[in-house]
């Protein structure tokens, strides 16, 4: 029973109105998945968003661009949210232990997103693991001889990148010290993984804003360097801090 779930304890929901908390309690369900059971396995955007309250799931990117390793997601992780807000199915998920999760209808998530400023800001400011995976796959594909481990590329994106969102007909203003990748599939005439240019007008489809991931240029150049020696990791300088330090 979801009436025993404290939705306010979930970071994304902690500041939303009680009326929507009540809707979450009334419309959500608890699901249990046995070890090895697929949770998301097709190419459709799921019609329910899961929030893991116990157990671990195994995630890999739904792509044929490059082979991607599995990654474990633990409790307090959303499943399907990235596909919904990016308007693209991108998750292949199975249970790596027994998993208990709250299932929330996608229409309710959209309602909360459009009505609740705090939830929208949480979604719009947090890079989701699947989108970091997808951008990493494009970077890896650009330099297939790169010896840097795929998960290290993902971790670097999560560590130093910034997510920016743009409403329909907004103008993109570029930071000259970053490379900016399309990360949602709702931008007219632009595909995920493509770079966006300064002063470009962004036209979107649907209720969600366009998502753009900005990676510091110096970090990006280090990641695509195909001359990296085998088993030798590069030293990368954080573009936001002039002090030299090892960040990989």
């Amino acid at each position: 029973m979801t009436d025993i779930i404290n939705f306010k304890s979930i970071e994304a929901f902690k500041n939303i109105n009680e009326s929507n908390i009540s809707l979450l309690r009334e419309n959500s369900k608890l699901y249990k998945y046995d070890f090895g059971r697929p949770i998301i396995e097709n190419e459709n955007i799921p019609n329910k968003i899961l929030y893991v309250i116990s157990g671990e799931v195994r995630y890999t990117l739904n792509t044929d661009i490059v082979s991607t390793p599995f990654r474990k997601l633990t409790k307090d992780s959303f499943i399907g949210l990235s596909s919904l807000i990016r308007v693209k199915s991108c998750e292949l998920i199975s249970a790596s232990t027994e998993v208990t999760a709250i299932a929330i209808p996608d229409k309710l998530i959209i309602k909360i997103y459009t009505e609740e400023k705090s939830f929208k800001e949480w979604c719009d400011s947090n890079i989701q693991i699947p989108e970091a995976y997808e951008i990493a796959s494009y970077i890896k594909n650009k330099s297939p001889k790169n010896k840097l481990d795929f998960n290290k590329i993902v971790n670097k994106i999560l560590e130093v990148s910034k997510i920016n969102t743009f409403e329909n007909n907004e103008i993109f203003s570029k930071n000259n010290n970053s490379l900016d990748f399309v990360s949602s599939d709702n931008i007219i005439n632009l595909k995920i993984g493509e770079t966006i240019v300064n002063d470009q007008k962004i036209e979107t489809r649907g209720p969600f804003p366009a998502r753009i991931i900005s990676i510091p240029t110096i970090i990006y150049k280090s990641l695509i360097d195909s001359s990296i020696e085998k088993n030798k990791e590069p030293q990368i300088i954080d573009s936001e801090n002039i002090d030299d330090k090892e960040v990989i």
Side-chain angles (χ1 to χ4, degrees), residues 136-167:
S137 73
Y138 283 97
I139 292 174
K140 188 74 172 176
N141 190 53
K142 279 185 174 292
S143 185
K145 294 182 180 179
N146 192 326
K147 305 303 181 184
L148 189 61
D149 178 76
F150 183 87
N151 274 323
K152 288 191 175 181
I153 300 177
V154 172
N155 291 339
K156 185 52 55 186
I157 291 171
L158 292 171
E159 179 186 344
V160 304
S161 300
K162 181 180 179 182
I163 190 76
N164 296 291
T165 58
F166 295 85
E167 302 295 339

Side-chain angles (χ1 to χ4, degrees), residues 4-187:
I4 65 173
I5 301 297
N6 181 8
F7 284 95
K8 286 282 192 177
S9 69
I10 298 173
E11 181 69 21
F13 297 142
K14 70 178 184 179
N15 292 319
I16 70 174
N17 292 326
E18 284 300 326
S19 59
N20 280 320
I21 290 292
S22 295
L23 288 175
L24 285 168
R25 291 195 187 102
E26 293 166 8
N27 294 278
S28 301
K29 297 180 180 178
L30 280 180
Y31 279 69
K32 287 194 175 182
Y33 299 89
D34 295 329
F35 167 75
R37 181 178 172 185
I39 298 175
I40 298 179
E41 59 178 342
N42 58 39
E43 297 181 355
N44 298 320
I45 296 175
N47 61 8
K48 58 181 180 290
I49 308 305
L50 301 179
Y51 182 80
V52 179
I53 59 176
S54 67
E56 291 184 345
V57 300
R58 191 169 69 162
Y59 164 82
T60 191
L61 181 67
N62 184 9
T63 182
D64 56 4
I65 297 173
V66 294
S67 176
T68 61
F70 291 108
R71 189 181 185 102
K72 284 188 177 181
L73 303 179
T74 57
K75 66 184 294 288
D76 302 325
S77 298
F78 279 101
I79 298 173
L81 181 62
S82 180
S83 293
L84 181 67
I85 63 179
R86 298 177 65 231
V87 200
K88 183 189 177 185
S89 174
C90 56
E91 300 162 272
L92 294 175
I93 306 282
S94 61
S96 56
T97 65
E98 184 179 273
V99 171
T100 303
I102 307 166
I104 307 168
D106 60 343
K107 291 181 180 179
L108 181 52
I109 289 290
I110 294 171
K111 178 182 184 297
I112 293 172
Y113 182 90
T114 56
E115 293 179 359
E116 299 282 356
K117 181 181 178 181
S118 64
F119 180 65
K120 183 180 188 301
E121 288 178 346
W122 186 90
C123 291
D124 292 353
S125 62
N126 283 279
I127 297 177
Q128 303 290 315
I129 293 289
E131 66 186 329
Y133 248 59
E134 188 147 19
I135 296 302
S137 73
Y138 283 97
I139 292 174
K140 188 74 172 176
N141 190 53
K142 279 185 174 292
S143 185
K145 294 182 180 179
N146 192 326
K147 305 303 181 184
L148 189 61
D149 178 76
F150 183 87
N151 274 323
K152 288 191 175 181
I153 300 177
V154 172
N155 291 339
K156 185 52 55 186
I157 291 171
L158 292 171
E159 179 186 344
V160 304
S161 300
K162 181 180 179 182
I163 190 76
N164 296 291
T165 58
F166 295 85
E167 302 295 339
N168 188 35
N169 293 322
E170 274 196 80
I171 303 299
F172 175 75
S173 181
K174 181 176 175 58
N175 179 342
N176 290 330
N177 295 319
S178 68
L179 200 64
D180 307 286
F181 293 89
V182 173
S183 186
S184 60
D185 205 27
N186 60 341
I187 306 178

